[in-house]
Amino acid sequence: MSTDEGAAAGHQDALWGVSAGTEGMAAAVIAADGTVAAWTYGAQRLLGYTAEEVLGRRFADLLAPTGAARLRHRRGHRLEVELRISRLAARDGAPRWLAAFDPHPDARRRLASERLALLSEASTHIGTTLDVMQTGQELADFAVPRLADYVTVDLAESVSLGAEPLARLGMDAGRVPVFRRAGVASIHEGIPESLWDRGQAVFVPPASPFTQVLTTGKSFIEPMLRRSLGTWLRCDPERTRVIRRTDMHTVMMVPIQARGVVLGIAVFVRTDNPAPFEQDDLVLAEELVDRAALSLDNAHRYTREHIAALALQRNLLPSHLSGGPFLEVSSRYLPADLDHGVGGDWYDVMELPRDRVALVVGDVVGHGIQAAAAMGRLRTALRTLADMDLPPVELLTRLDRTVGRLAQEDVDSPGATVGVGATCLYVVYDPVERAIDIAGAGHPPPVVVSPDGEATVTKIPSGVPIGMGLGHFEAVRIEIPDDSLIALYTDGLVEFPTEDIESGIRRLAAALAHPGLPLEELCDRAVAARRTPSPSDDTTLLLARTGPSDAP
């Protein structure tokens, strides 16, 4: 007997004398020999057994060996129930009984308590980062196997995942890309139920529960999925094949929405667990998704700002560096990880009169679009001042005044971008004098590596950050021979919570103390020497190697 047939057995009133309303209740018909003769759909939902698993078995086998009224759940645990047994009037005169059972009030309270504990646990497992993809995967991982055997989390095309927008992916066999897979989990190794991997576009028929949930914002539940095989699934043969091959038999689709906007959809499926989803399961799924939705929304908003800030910063940074005929230059810029956001690092190389070259590295305090925009304004102002060929001290003094003036102009603006707090290091290399002039504004000192590989952390007056309005800076001059290496960097390369910045600078100096290596390889060595692969601040490195001068 199939599952559908077993569920229908509970209301065969012509045969058993059971009322037509019995199907929704948890009940069994017991024959004269004590075996189960009929099994309702409600009994299947409560205890997990399908009709074909219990028909013909002794009903006593389902009772736990205790004095209380307890039934064995298919998964092995005991369920305390209120058991009511009444004799049925049958047309053939054979004695039969109706065993009706409902969860005991204490059991209901325990179930409610367990679900509250589950939701509390979810808050510590879902939304641990500001990464949209990671949050989606955490939701899927948490729900399997607690609620479902297979779970997917698909986000709408409007949600920024840091990938190509779905609208540009085109059509496929008459279907449209509506979602991108952010999370997927299964009790089965290899996830045979999934047609798409994480990050891939998920195609669905235009007329389907998926798009219905996305557009209406209302959940969808199909206790008996096979009943849908002849409806909307007729237009989706790939899903139909997977459903049949993996024995998917019940499904819930829950919209992921926050602040009135539908972000995507979470799909819950059972394969090995024979119990169909019911309304209580849907309520739990909706509560789980609601807990995750706020984290996903925060991650989505942060990801969108991170991408915008990163694009802005990269457009503001130089695309090509030239140190002229006497200076070879190379650089590295690595944005902070997604949890911390793009900062305000910048670097530049500017050719000056008389074959001199200016090197600059700076860092605006803060993260996000405002820091990136402030960086762009600072870089523009510094370039303008550098074109005037000012000495390093005078340049930083004027830059400080300029930033202060811009900050004053922005006081009444809600979108103010420039404020107090930007460090800077300005270095001018003179190939004729074979010397560098250095002025700093609260920035880490440069590292100079001699041709024989001796790395020195240059001692310079620290100065105060740009924008403080104090305008007090000092410069030092250092003579360096040909084939010397000059390294400028931001604190993201050398500063870590587990150690002081001086240790980080010494590690950088050791990584650069290989004068024979190409600049690109030295950049790689410096970045690899960091204490963490996921920095909390931007990492910027500017290397310059002096060449021979034709001057006498």
Side-chain angles (χ1 to χ4, degrees), residues 331-342:
S331 66
R332 284 289 186 278
Y333 166 70
L334 300 176
D337 61 59
L338 192 60
D339 287 346
H340 296 86
V342 175

Side-chain angles (χ1 to χ4, degrees), residues 460-475:
I460 62 171
S462 61
V464 295
I466 297 296
M468 299 292 290
L470 300 178
H472 180 71
F473 305 100
E474 298 181 42

Side-chain angles (χ1 to χ4, degrees), residues 347-410:
Y347 60 93
D348 213 340
V349 178
M350 297 159 285
E351 296 186 54
L352 302 176
R354 301 189 302 279
D355 293 327
R356 292 172 302 139
V357 180
L359 308 171
V360 60
V361 165
D363 184 4
V364 174
V365 175
H367 296 87
I369 292 179
Q370 288 192 352
M375 175 273 288
R377 296 174 71 174
L378 275 172
R379 178 172 178 260
T380 301
L382 191 145
R383 265 191 165 269
T384 301
L385 294 172
D387 286 342
M388 299 170 63
D389 197 15
L390 300 173
V393 168
E394 186 175 351
L395 182 143
L396 290 183
T397 301
R398 293 199 182 189
L399 182 64
D400 181 60
R401 293 173 185 170
T402 300
V403 171
R405 185 174 63 254
L406 290 173
Q408 187 62 38
E409 293 174 355
D410 282 344

Side-chain angles (χ1 to χ4, degrees), residues 5 329 332 368 404 423 442 454 457 459 468 498 527 546:
E5 292 168 342
V329 292
R332 284 289 186 278
T423 66
E454 181 181 357
V457 180
K459 295 182 179 180
M468 299 292 290
T498 56
V527 171
T546 64

Side-chain angles (χ1 to χ4, degrees), residues 11-31:
H11 56 80
Q12 294 177 356
D13 43 314
L15 180 60
W16 305 115
V18 180
S19 67
T22 306
E23 180 184 5
M25 67 184 295
V29 174
I30 305 174

Side-chain angles (χ1 to χ4, degrees), residues 282-334:
L282 182 61
V283 171
L284 178 58
E286 289 176 336
E287 290 177 341
L288 275 178
V289 171
D290 285 344
R291 298 290 178 99
L294 183 58
S295 296
L296 275 169
D297 183 56
N298 290 336
H300 159 52
R301 290 169 179 263
Y302 194 86
T303 300
R304 184 172 57 188
E305 179 177 325
H306 180 87
I307 293 171
L310 185 59
L312 174 62
Q313 188 171 41
R314 283 178 171 166
N315 286 332
L316 292 173
L317 292 175
S319 58
H320 175 70
L321 297 177
S322 174
F326 305 120
L327 200 64
E328 179 189 2
V329 292
S330 183
S331 66
R332 284 289 186 278
Y333 166 70
L334 300 176

